[in-house]
């Protein structure tokens, strides 16, 4: 039977993406969307029932009682597959953190071109917290010591990684009791690989306990280091106006897309694009200048700090090339599709790889070296400008939305209380009163197996209506941005009455964009600070909060989910489960799924589940939030208690005569 191919409307909810998919069809070009239609996922592998760890297999376990040739059971195989994915995700994030730490070291010692320490206050706070002397010392000296300390965390063999110290006291005690505090970032990743080699760890619960340790080495290790250093070098984000979607590309400018993850290169390209020499070079080529736009987490890094527009999320990488208007796509690491090179051959677009770790056959490689960062960035931009003359017919969808990203935890703290009273008290109080029912973090990727952005936005919109404050990162945040939910008061009519009052009073969007995927550590920090503020229990697992990755696809997402569970959060993934096991569940083939849910909840207060149905995801989120509210003895959530203050009230009062308005506002009798 011929496979059913989905229509552009079935592939994506984004109208700009639909236009590009129609263009792909007209040009007979494939994309991840069409390839996903043609390639059915292997139902043995996708359920975690295939073991290919040694040369005796691959072994496929399809029936009750099947084992691999070595005797491995399905739960051992599933646990091994899961920890390997978590280790790969933790390695990717943490290697990014390592490179950031090396850049900090090089900047501190004057070995780079074009970088400087932008957030000296954060440098001092973070260094002091890590036991580094700061009084009377130059920022470069402090940065040098902090870089050394951070670099040492990756290869540390014994003890505890230093950033663990920031977790709530009770949580640290629990991790120590469970023996899961990471000793060193690399050590836990290596041990995960060792334990899963043929003939090693074969107790699924024991394997998964190390999965927790490995993921903690990411969230409370490598990723947290990445966020710290990015803020120190490039500035801690604060709200800024930006734009998102393919309509940010410009017909009369040289369009350069930066795609990938590390801000080191993209920040320098932003700087170079504003250099008079480059602007003049572009003008000579007949363009008005260079127009930069981001894809994936690189987009989030430069959007949060400089307001550089985001061309889109993960599934927009091919679609941006289909506009025919991109002179160069500059990539570094992670989430870069190999298909870009073949697709770009149909246009004039140059794919430029820059990382010593990532080359793609057929792409142009201009290796990035921080010692010559600005010169390399200029060279890359000149290559793009030279390519402008080769541009053919273009079709840029005239669709984009404005947004206000930049909600670092430092800014959230500040916005709630101002410079003198910066505090999480107002947020905690709003949750205690029931104005805010709870908090949901919606994060993670796009996945062409589901309709692009649909699950992200369906879940987000439903939770906002229920007065759940939503924070987002990664490609999920860009999905919300494209829908216009990240702009000031826009979209507030879709928000529950209590949450709306809070948004209006503080002047924030109903969804807070907190950054890239490594910046999920900002969410850990916010949760910790909420706990430390008091009134919401004494550990993260007591906060009425849930983590959701409705369209996940990458191993990094699994690492993030696991460190959030270890930190006490209920985490739900959408789409298929990598540990679903036998379809009829006749045996204990769902033992692993059961263990990462109930088993982890008993140990850590957080649990991980894979829920295909978004309605069920929403229902479970609300049940969990209400359960946590009840356990804290908080007032029962009731939306009818709110909605009569803030802007809504002011607008109602506006039309009343002055005396009546005064009476309503101040209780002064109308005369
Ligand atoms: Ni996250 Fe960033 Fe997007 Fe998924 Fe990829 S960009 S690190 S992995 S696809 S959210």
């Amino acid at each position: 039977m011929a496979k059913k191919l989905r229509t552009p409307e079935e592939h994506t909810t984004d109208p700009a993406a639909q236009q590009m998919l129609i263009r792909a069809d007209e040009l007979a070009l494939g994309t991840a969307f069409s390839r996903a239609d043609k390639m059915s996922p292997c139902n043995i592998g996708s359920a975690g029932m295939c073991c290919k760890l040694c040369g005796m297999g691959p072994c496929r376990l399809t029936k009750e009682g099947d084992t691999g040739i070595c005797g491995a059971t399905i739960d051992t195989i599933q646990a091994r597959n899961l920890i390997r994915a978590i280790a790969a995700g933790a390695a990717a994030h943490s290697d990014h953190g390592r490179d950031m730490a090396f850049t900090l070291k090089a900047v501190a010692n004057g070995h780079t071109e074009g970088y400087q320490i932008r957030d000296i206050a954060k440098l001092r706070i973070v260094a002091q917290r890590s036991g580094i002397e700061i009084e009377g010392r130059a920022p470069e000296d402090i940065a040098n010591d902090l870089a050394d300390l951070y670099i040492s965390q990756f290869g540390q063999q014994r003890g505890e990684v230093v950033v663990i110290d920031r977790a709530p006291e009770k949580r640290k005690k629990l991790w120590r009791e469970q023996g899961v505090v990471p000793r060193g970032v690399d050590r836990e990743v290596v041990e995960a690989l060792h334990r899963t080699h043929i003939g090693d760890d074969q107790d699924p619960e024991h394997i998964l306990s190390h999965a927790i340790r490995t993921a903690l080495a990411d969230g409370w290790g490598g990723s947290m280091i990445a966020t710290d250093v990015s803020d120190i070098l490039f500035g801690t984000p604060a709200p800024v106006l930006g734009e998102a979607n393919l309509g940010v590309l410009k017909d009369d400018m040289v369009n350069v897309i930066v795609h990938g993850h590390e801000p080191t290169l993209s920040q320098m390209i932003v700087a170079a694009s504003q250099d008079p020499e480059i602007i003049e070079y572009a003008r000579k080529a007949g363009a008005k200048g260079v127009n930069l736009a981001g894809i994936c987490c690189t987009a989030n890094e430069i959007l949060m700090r400089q307001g550089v527009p985001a061309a889109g999320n993960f599934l927009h990488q091919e679609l941006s090339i289909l506009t025919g208007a991109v002179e160069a796509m500059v990539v570094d690491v992670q989430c870069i599709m190999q298909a870009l090179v073949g697709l770009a051959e149909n246009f004039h677009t140059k794919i430029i790889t820059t990382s010593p770790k990532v080359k793609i056959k057929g792409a142009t490689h201009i290796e990035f070296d921080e010692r010559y960062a600005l010169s390399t960035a200029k060279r890359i931009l000149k290559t793009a400008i030279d390519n402008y003359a080769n541009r053919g017919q273009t079709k840029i969808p005239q669709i984009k939305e404005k947004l206000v990203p930049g909600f670092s935890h430092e800014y959230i703290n500040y916005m709630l209380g101002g410079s003198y009273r910066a505090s999480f008290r107002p947020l905690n109080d709003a949750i205690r009163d029931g104005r805010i029912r709870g908090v949901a973090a919606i994060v993670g990727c796009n996945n062409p197996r589901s309709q692009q952005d649909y699950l992200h936005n369906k879940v987000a919109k439903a939770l906002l209506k229920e007065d759940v404050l939503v924070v987002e990162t990664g490609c999920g945040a860009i999905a919300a941005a494209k829908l216009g939910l990240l702009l000031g008061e826009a979209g507030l009519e879709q928000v529950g009455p209590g949450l709306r009052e809070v948004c209006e009073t503080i002047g924030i969007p109903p969804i807070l964009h907190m950054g890239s995927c490594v910046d999920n550590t900002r969410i850990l920090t916010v949760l910790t600070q909420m706990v430390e503020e008091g009134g919401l229990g004494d550990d993260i697992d007591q906060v009425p909060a849930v983590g959701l990755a409705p369209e996940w696809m990458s191993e990094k997402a699994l690492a993030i989910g696991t460190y959030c569970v270890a930190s006490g959060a209920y985490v739900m993934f959408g789409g298929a489960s990598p540990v679903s096991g036998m379809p009829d569940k006749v045996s204990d083939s769902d033992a692993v799924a059961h263990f990462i849910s109930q088993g982890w909840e008993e140990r850590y207060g957080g649990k991980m589940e894979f829920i295909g149905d978004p309605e069920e995801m929403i229902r479970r989120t609300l049940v969990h939030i209400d359960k946590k509210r009840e356990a804290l003895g908080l007032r029962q959530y009731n939306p009818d208690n709110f909605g009569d203050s803030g802007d809504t009230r002011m607008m109602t009062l506006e039309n009343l005569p002055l005396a009546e308005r005064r009476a309503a506002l101040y209780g002064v009798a109308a005369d």
Side-chain angles (χ1 to χ4, degrees):
M1 199 175 74
K3 286 224 167 65
K4 182 180 171 323
L5 303 182
R6 291 171 292 171
T7 64
E9 291 75 23
E10 288 168 328
H11 276 137
T12 172
T13 55
D14 177 342
Q18 288 167 3
Q19 285 187 24
M20 287 303 97
L21 289 177
I22 292 167
R23 180 161 158 92
D25 281 346
E26 286 165 2
L27 300 173
L29 296 172
T31 62
F33 296 89
S34 59
R35 291 190 295 273
D37 284 347
K38 288 180 193 142
M39 169 83 71
S40 307
C42 163
N43 55 11
I44 302 169
S46 66
M49 303 189 297
C50 172
C51 181
K52 52 184 180 62
L53 295 186
C54 80
M56 294 190 286
C59 298
R60 286 141 298 145
L61 276 53
T62 55
K63 298 190 301 298
E64 164 104 51
D66 275 0
T67 66
I69 292 172
C70 70
T73 59
I74 184 161
D75 24 341
T76 297
I77 289 170
Q78 285 184 331
R80 289 198 300 217
N81 289 339
L82 185 59
I83 194 180
R84 281 209 162 198
I86 290 166
H93 281 150
S94 299
D95 209 31
H96 167 168
R98 180 202 324 270
D99 284 344
M100 296 304 303
F102 275 123
T103 304
L104 183 65
K105 173 86 182 167
V107 173
N109 290 282
H111 295 157
T112 59
E113 182 192 40
Y115 297 112
Q116 64 189 73
I117 298 168
R118 286 200 186 274
D119 193 339
I120 294 172
K122 179 149 187 175
L123 168 70
R124 290 171 64 87
I125 291 168
V126 165
Q128 192 172 37
R129 194 138 194 200
S130 309
I132 293 169
E133 181 59 48
I134 59 165
E135 288 317 322
R137 299 186 74 201
E140 289 71 22
D141 293 339
I142 302 171
N144 180 61
D145 288 358
L146 183 66
D148 282 343
L149 176 72
Y150 278 176
I151 291 164
S152 74
Q153 298 308 296
F154 296 91
Q156 185 171 287
Q157 302 303 323
R158 294 194 180 85
E160 299 184 348
V161 295
V162 67
V163 278
I164 284 283
D165 186 53
R166 299 180 197 175
E169 286 307 321
K170 200 170 163 194
R171 187 74 6 200
K172 282 185 284 190
K173 189 165 170 279
L174 173 67
W175 289 337
R176 286 177 187 131
E177 281 163 12
Q178 293 287 336
V180 293
V181 177
R183 296 154 291 191
V185 177
D186 296 354
R187 179 163 184 190
E188 308 313 343
V189 173
V190 168
E191 189 171 314
L193 294 179
H194 178 189
R195 286 194 194 211
T196 52
H197 183 272
I198 162 78
D200 276 307
D201 201 357
Q202 286 148 54
D203 175 340
E205 293 187 10
H206 193 238
I207 293 168
L208 291 168
S209 158
H210 189 69
I212 293 276
R213 199 175 204 178
T214 308
L216 284 174
D218 174 0
W220 295 89
S223 276
M224 207 166 265
I225 289 173
T227 300
D228 277 357
V229 178
S230 301
D231 287 353
I232 290 166
L233 285 178
F234 307 120
T236 301
V240 50
L241 188 63
E243 289 180 332
N245 217 338
L246 294 169
V248 304
L249 298 175
K250 297 206 164 81
D251 257 323
D252 52 3
M253 293 180 89
V254 174
N255 291 305
V256 176
I257 289 197
V258 277
H259 168 27
H261 284 77
E262 295 179 352
T264 341
L265 162 74
S266 50
Q267 291 286 341
M268 202 46 72
I269 291 188
V270 174
S273 71
Q274 290 151 7
D275 190 296
E277 178 199 339
I278 292 295
I279 296 171
E280 188 47 35
Y281 195 81
R283 290 216 174 106
K284 281 205 182 116
K288 281 200 176 147
V290 175
N291 179 43
L292 278 190
I295 294 265
C296 281
C297 282
T298 288
N300 291 319
E301 297 280 357
I302 52 179
L303 175 68
M304 294 268 285
R305 295 195 173 88
Q306 278 90 17
V308 174
N313 40 8
F314 175 68
L315 284 174
H316 269 43
Q317 57 188 288
E318 291 176 293
L319 306 182
S320 63
I321 291 176
L322 279 156
T323 63
V326 176
E327 274 57 54
M329 180 176 277
V330 186
V331 303
D332 56 10
V333 293
Q334 301 167 24
C335 302
I336 301 150
M337 291 188 195
Q338 186 167 357
L340 291 174
V341 172
L343 182 65
E345 279 166 7
N346 298 283
F347 303 91
H348 72 308
T349 308
K350 274 192 191 306
I351 306 293
I352 303 176
T353 51
T354 58
S355 165
K357 293 170 205 160
V358 175
K359 284 193 176 185
I360 308 175
K361 224 171 170 161
T364 306
H365 190 73
I366 302 180
E367 197 154 304
F368 185 71
D369 182 333
E370 64 215 358
R371 287 174 299 171
Y372 321 107
L374 190 59
S375 317
T376 318
K378 285 187 186 172
R379 192 175 142 214
I380 289 170
L381 289 181
K382 283 183 178 171
T383 308
I385 295 167
D386 291 342
N387 197 21
Y388 184 63
N390 300 324
R391 193 189 272 187
Q393 205 198 9
T394 64
K395 184 172 181 194
I396 301 174
Q398 296 306 308
I399 296 171
K400 60 182 176 183
E401 281 289 345
K402 289 198 166 57
L403 74 147
V404 179
F407 292 90
S408 54
H409 52 87
E410 286 89 345
Y411 187 80
I412 294 177
N413 197 12
Y414 163 77
M415 81 186 183
L416 292 167
S419 306
Y420 298 107
R421 290 180 295 113
S423 143
F424 275 82
R425 189 76 257 151
L427 176 61
N428 284 20
D429 285 347
I431 294 174
R432 287 181 59 84
D433 293 348
R435 255 191 189 81
I436 294 178
R437 187 171 182 175
V439 181
I442 304 180
V443 308
C445 325
N446 287 143
N447 187 329
R449 295 262 166 238
S450 63
Q451 193 185 19
Q452 185 193 16
D453 297 346
Y454 170 74
L455 294 172
H456 278 300
N457 291 332
K458 178 174 177 70
V459 173
K461 285 201 282 188
L463 294 178
L464 291 176
K465 273 201 198 99
E466 298 287 339
D467 289 304
V468 175
L469 176 70
V470 175
V471 299
E472 298 208 11
T473 59
C475 291
I478 301 177
K482 290 189 289 173
L483 202 73
L485 287 173
L486 299 187
L487 182 66
E489 282 83 22
L492 278 187
E493 64 286 348
Q494 304 170 41
V495 171
L499 176 62
R500 181 176 177 152
E501 283 183 1
V502 174
C503 292
E504 285 171 347
T505 310
I506 308 176
I508 52 168
I511 298 181
L512 304 182
H513 184 335
M514 293 188 70
S516 62
C517 285
V518 293
D519 292 338
N520 282 311
T521 60
R522 296 189 201 278
I523 300 175
L524 298 178
T525 307
V526 166
L527 290 167
T528 304
Q529 293 185 349
M530 286 167 76
V531 166
E532 286 169 352
E533 185 61 46
L536 292 176
D538 55 3
D539 197 357
I540 295 173
D541 63 336
Q542 295 173 46
V543 178
V546 170
L548 302 149
E551 298 180 27
W552 80 281
M553 61 85 199
S554 84
E555 292 166 313
K556 289 178 290 176
L558 294 172
I560 293 166
T562 308
Y563 71 63
C564 288
V565 170
S567 305
Y570 178 15
V571 176
M572 273 179 276
F573 288 85
S577 164
V579 292
S580 60
M582 312 279 179
D584 50 0
K585 304 256 166 49
V586 286
S587 65
D588 63 351
S589 70
D590 55 356
V592 167
H594 190 263
F595 182 71
I596 61 175
S597 176
Q598 281 95 321
W600 275 352
E601 190 173 33
E602 279 158 26
R603 286 169 176 75
Y604 304 105
K607 57 182 170 176
M608 179 182 285
E609 288 173 357
F610 293 85
I611 310 290
D613 173 10
E615 298 291 352
E616 182 59 14
M617 224 179 209
I618 295 160
R619 192 189 69 76
R620 289 187 191 208
T621 298
L622 297 173
V623 167
H624 183 79
I625 283 175
D626 289 346
K627 195 176 88 188
K628 293 290 171 186
R629 292 188 64 85
E630 199 186 335
L632 285 168
L634 300 183
R635 189 170 168 184
Q636 209 175 9
Y637 164 74
N638 178 359
D640 297 338
N641 290 343
F642 304 104
D644 192 25
S645 74
D647 291 0
T648 319
R649 182 148 195 233
M650 293 314 289
M651 281 185 298
T652 329
L653 295 177
E654 226 170 44
N655 301 325
L656 295 178
L658 182 63
E660 282 176 44
R661 206 184 314 163
R662 285 180 59 217
L665 277 173
Y666 310 115
V668 181
D671 39 48

